[in-house]
Amino acid sequence: MTATLNIPVETNTAEVERIFNLQKANQFKVANTTARERIAKLDKLHKAVLKYRPEIKDALYKDFRKHPSEVDLTEVYPVTSEIKHAKKDIRRWMRNHKVATPLALMGSSSYIKYEPKGVVLIIAPWNFPLNLTFGPLVCAIAAGNTVMIKPSEQTPHISNLMAKMISEIFNENEIAMVQGGVPTSTALLNLPFNHIFFTGAPSIGKIVMAAAAKHLTSVTLELGGKSPTIIDESANIDMAARRIAWGKFINNGQICIAPDYIFVHENKKQAFIDKVRSYLETFFSEDPSKTTSYARMVNNRHYQRVKGYFEDALDKGANIEAGGKFDGNQDYISPTVVTNVSKNSTLMTEEIFGPVLPVYGFTKIDEVIDEINSREKPLALYIYSSKKKNINHILDNTRAGGSCINHNAVHFFNTNLPFGGSNNSGIGKGHGWYGFEAFSNARGVFTQHIPNALEMLMPPYNDFKQKLIDFTIKYF
Ligand code: NAD
């Protein structure tokens, strides 16, 4: 068995409210910290992540047998790179951003002050627990907020460790982690936070947004969904197969931006499947249950969920092209590729979030585009092609939170890019400047220096003033 569902004790409402009130009382002190002081906080977090790196690896192995190198690549590195980016740019982000003055407002000047939202809440999922908890935290700190964090209850080892790290380096009146599952989350969601940054499933995102609406709290919702991949006839099939075998099966397919299903040109379909099979063997050996490079489903509930999707697809006529091996004693599902999958099977109606990859052939790209557009907007859409015209045609006629051309999932690692979904796959963006912006209010500040034309247009109105207004509308 991998993770025991050792759910941490819920944090009671009184405790949640106590911390919230402490942070509320402290929010202006934190808001008025200088760039240097915020950098010092980021440095503390950076040091703690490096100091506890062995424990982080150990916790994530206990939670879902994640290989230590994969922990470094997909959990530690995204956090350290987010910290480095924030430290490099924070002074520029915090500065007042001057904006132009229209001629009609001559005699004034304007700027945007990015002020902290105040007391913010981060609710994190289990699939990249460190990355998706500390990543948003970096942006919230950079923006000058006090922060309450609720990590996932499904990965108790890493959640306990993160709680220990946070309590060691921060005072609870500036940053605090509260643990628990739905009851704790619900207690938090009852409070009038100034912003909620939620990462998780679209169905829970709706609960979060409904709770936020009661206080008109702004939200960033980093959600999920089914991310399609298109491989056209011009694509380098060997490269596509290698990158997809990596992007789909890393973290045992439990990635919000995993290629969920594939459309490959009919003429290249068999070659693609053969290559994926071959790379799966290269990456994870003939028997992936024996290699340490292959993680597990996070718990038996998720193992049963994906097994159910797979069996439903088989019942509806799917063929197994690779894998298809299951072992409930260790929540193990071998890297699996399936074809002839009915669009009505749960494998295609639900986000898979596991190591099963449906592959479809196509001949007409516009049919693929129509199919994708008939579904909810995905978090990511991937295109493998060597033809700029095809790439642009797909980009122009589909919608997605983000895209990679000739790769998958790696757009997450470029913190200069906004990361997030669109509608069903999310609202708002994170990473780098976009994360700072999410945790800030863009306060527009207008200063009048000398009297301007508006002074002449105040009541009582008369024909002359109307002429001036007409002139203004026409020429300014
Ligand atoms: P989840 O939505 O079940 O849980 C996320 C968080 O919400 C957890 O902390 C959980 O305790 C809390 N929660 C669960 N039910 C709740 C409820 N009824 N009320 C209040 N809070 C509740 O998601 P998960 O299973 O942890 O993660 C998987 C999902 O997250 C997938 O859909 C995946 O695509 C998505 N995801 C998105 C991103 C992204 O960046 N867009 C990243 C990772 C995962």
Side-chain angles (χ1 to χ4, degrees), residues 31-58:
N32 288 320
T33 45
T34 61
R36 184 196 283 259
E37 286 166 318
R38 295 184 196 179
I39 287 171
K41 278 191 203 176
L42 294 175
D43 279 338
K44 279 205 273 187
L45 185 64
H46 196 175
K47 271 197 194 128
V49 169
L50 297 181
K51 175 179 155 196
Y52 281 102
R53 203 161 141 203
E55 286 85 350
I56 291 168
K57 290 176 177 176
D58 184 48

Side-chain angles (χ1 to χ4, degrees), residues 155-168:
T155 41
H157 295 97
I158 189 70
S159 292
N160 285 335
L161 178 62
M162 288 191 294
K164 176 177 147 137
M165 291 163 72
I166 292 294
S167 66
E168 264 178 29

Side-chain angles (χ1 to χ4, degrees), residues 122-128 132 150-154 180-186 189 197-205 207-208 221-225 254-257 301-302 351 353 379 412 419-421 425-426 431:
I122 294 172
I123 300 181
W126 53 264
N127 64 325
F128 290 97
L132 299 173
K150 197 206 79 65
S152 176
E153 71 281 19
Q154 314 265 345
V182 177
T184 302
S185 221
T186 307
L189 289 173
F197 192 105
F198 169 82
T199 307
S203 57
I204 311 299
I207 295 173
V208 170
L221 303 177
E222 297 279 359
L223 310 177
Q254 300 164 116
I255 321 178
C256 55
I257 44 173
R301 183 164 64 81
H302 281 280
E351 178 182 4
F353 223 61
L379 183 56
F412 183 92
F419 181 82
S425 53
H431 289 189

